[in-house]
Amino acid sequence: MHAAPRRHPVRFLPALIATATLLSACGTSGAAGSSKADEPTTKVTVTPAAGSKSVKLGSAISIRADGGKLTSVEVKDDQGTKVDGRLSAGGAAWASDGKVRPKTTYTVKTRAKSTGGKESAATSVFTTEAADKVNKLTNTPGGGQTVGTGMPVSILFDNPVAKDRQAGIEKALTVTTTPHVEGAWGWVKDYSGKDRIDWRPKDYWPSGTKVSVKGALAGIDSGDNGGWFARDYNFGFRIGADHKAVIDVPSHTLTMYENGKKVDSVVGSAGSPQDPTRGGVHTVRSKNAAETMDSSTIGHGNEWMLDSKWVTHLTASGTFLHSAPWNNKLGVANTSHGCFGMSTGDAKKVYDFLTIGSTVEVNGTSNPNKTDVGNGLEVWQESWQQWQQRSALK
């Protein structure tokens, strides 16, 4: 005898089916409303493109966000140096402040948020092409120096700078001072024949001024014969005590002033009528405790070779303040070949008093010629109006 088959109640099935349908409906509703799993992320476009191996020099780095906004951007070169840039209002785009450098690998890291709130992150890497020629510069004064109240900012380029590139380079250079001091850049042909750009204040610097110079030059082309700049520059210096000297040629005297007040005076011998000392305001460009005076360097052949001490250099062509123990006319007659010679003791006084960047004013000379600005740091040979005409942005 077989057992009767067991029957299962079925009255609960409609309720179970209804419950399953309800859960499914809730899941679908969540995907459409609160879950971001299926939402599109922000499309971030980096230019130059990721993976590029020879990005053209002169390019900027730009980033665009479509369907959302950029929340953070970090760009670094292969030395770990951060690349500065600007994020647009609303975060739709980012652009670098400067251009890419030669033969450099850049890593771009971005974070973005879509219009629906979905966050995403991405990394892009590219490398720039090499430069056929690189231009470098030498800045005066050196970073961290304390200099006199007449010192200009002077930037000497290794290679030529094409005329049509000067404006772009000048725009990339900034001078910031504390307190604020008015000044301007001017293009100069250095005594060496190289291109140079100087920044001079309208008037002499106030003592204690702090000066910061930045050159966002990386990735800028200086012309076919000059090449590309491979890096940015950043240096600063400070203006020290107000020390100046005034030479009165007819009376054979040099007077030293501190903050406009006379502190000492010495006698000497300026240039003879045949070789009169250069007039106007000169800037002390360098100093040397001992030096050999070689006549051939100023166009006098092999007339003399004399050892001198406490040499203060004014012009690149050889206008100096120095000891002249061989001269028996000190304080009596002007017999030098353009320098101002003194006793060894007095030359040291002057040497110690004047700093690099101090000014030396020469009055009463018979030399009618104005010294060229590039013949040393001769920015004070011109009026403020004349100087401003040297700017490529005038």
Side-chain angles (χ1 to χ4, degrees), residues 105-125:
T105 297
Y106 292 90
T107 300
V108 180
K109 294 183 178 181
T110 60
R111 299 191 71 86
K113 181 182 286 188
S114 70
T115 52
K118 185 171 183 178
E119 296 182 346
S120 59
T123 298
S124 178
V125 179

Side-chain angles (χ1 to χ4, degrees), residues 156-173:
L156 182 68
F157 299 97
D158 277 5
N159 300 326
V161 175
K163 286 284 186 182
D164 62 353
R165 307 287 178 168
Q166 289 183 348
I169 291 171
E170 189 173 331
K171 285 181 181 178
L173 300 169

Side-chain angles (χ1 to χ4, degrees), residues 36-362:
K36 301 178 179 63
D38 298 328
E39 288 181 3
T41 58
T42 306
K43 181 182 179 183
V44 177
T45 304
V46 177
T47 304
S52 300
K53 299 297 183 183
S54 55
V55 172
K56 187 175 179 59
L57 299 180
S59 303
I61 303 173
S62 63
I63 305 170
R64 188 181 75 250
D66 295 309
K69 66 179 181 179
L70 296 164
T71 56
S72 72
V73 174
E74 180 186 81
V75 184
K76 290 185 177 181
D77 63 17
D78 43 24
Q79 302 299 312
T81 303
K82 181 182 176 182
V83 176
D84 292 328
R86 296 287 182 273
L87 192 63
S88 67
W94 182 95
S96 61
D97 289 343
K99 313 293 184 181
V100 296
R101 302 202 320 263
K103 202 61 179 176
T104 302
T105 297
Y106 292 90
T107 300
V108 180
K109 294 183 178 181
T110 60
R111 299 191 71 86
K113 181 182 286 188
S114 70
T115 52
K118 185 171 183 178
E119 296 182 346
S120 59
T123 298
S124 178
V125 179
F126 62 87
T127 301
T128 61
E129 64 183 357
D132 292 335
K133 184 185 290 187
V134 172
N135 206 346
K136 299 178 182 179
L137 60 85
T138 302
N139 56 273
T140 300
Q145 280 190 298
T146 297
V147 295
T149 56
M151 173 62 79
V153 177
S154 186
I155 295 175
L156 182 68
F157 299 97
D158 277 5
N159 300 326
V161 175
K163 286 284 186 182
D164 62 353
R165 307 287 178 168
Q166 289 183 348
I169 291 171
E170 189 173 331
K171 285 181 181 178
L173 300 169
T174 58
V175 175
T176 305
T177 68
T178 306
H180 173 72
V181 174
E182 182 181 0
W185 290 104
W187 287 89
V188 177
K189 185 65 70 174
D190 188 72
Y191 191 72
S192 65
K194 293 183 176 182
D195 288 326
R196 200 176 96 193
I197 186 170
D198 291 359
W199 191 97
R200 58 154 277 193
K202 180 179 179 181
D203 302 304
Y204 299 138
W205 294 102
S207 294
T209 303
K210 295 179 180 179
V211 186
S212 174
V213 185
K214 293 185 178 181
L217 295 174
I220 294 180
D221 185 11
S222 58
D224 293 339
N225 296 321
W228 296 82
F229 293 103
R231 57 175 289 242
D232 292 334
Y233 292 82
N234 186 356
F235 64 96
F237 59 95
R238 183 178 179 277
I239 305 302
D242 178 22
H243 286 185
K244 301 173 183 177
V246 176
I247 295 174
D248 183 70
V249 173
S251 65
H252 325 295
T253 60
L254 180 152
T255 304
M256 290 166 271
Y257 295 88
E258 181 172 4
N259 298 321
K261 296 181 179 180
K262 177 181 174 180
V263 296
D264 204 352
S265 185
V266 300
V267 298
S269 180
S272 69
Q274 293 74 34
D275 293 294
T277 302
R278 293 174 178 271
V281 179
H282 307 283
T283 305
V284 175
R285 61 191 298 264
S286 57
K287 300 196 296 183
N288 202 354
E291 195 165 329
T292 298
M293 298 293 159
D294 185 350
S295 57
S296 65
T297 62
I298 58 171
H300 279 267
N302 297 320
E303 291 183 35
W304 68 85
M305 187 78 73
L306 300 167
D307 291 330
S308 181
K309 291 184 176 181
W310 314 119
V311 184
T312 301
H313 301 164
L314 303 183
T315 71
S317 60
T319 305
F320 302 157
L321 314 176
H322 63 84
S323 67
W326 56 83
N327 191 334
N328 60 9
K329 297 291 186 180
L330 299 179
V332 177
N334 295 315
T335 61
S336 83
H337 293 85
C339 295
F340 188 82
M342 297 160 280
S343 69
T344 302
D346 286 344
K348 188 175 190 308
K349 284 183 185 179
V350 173
Y351 182 96
D352 290 341
F353 181 77
L354 296 175
T355 60
I356 305 300
S358 293
T359 56
V360 177
E361 183 177 346
V362 177

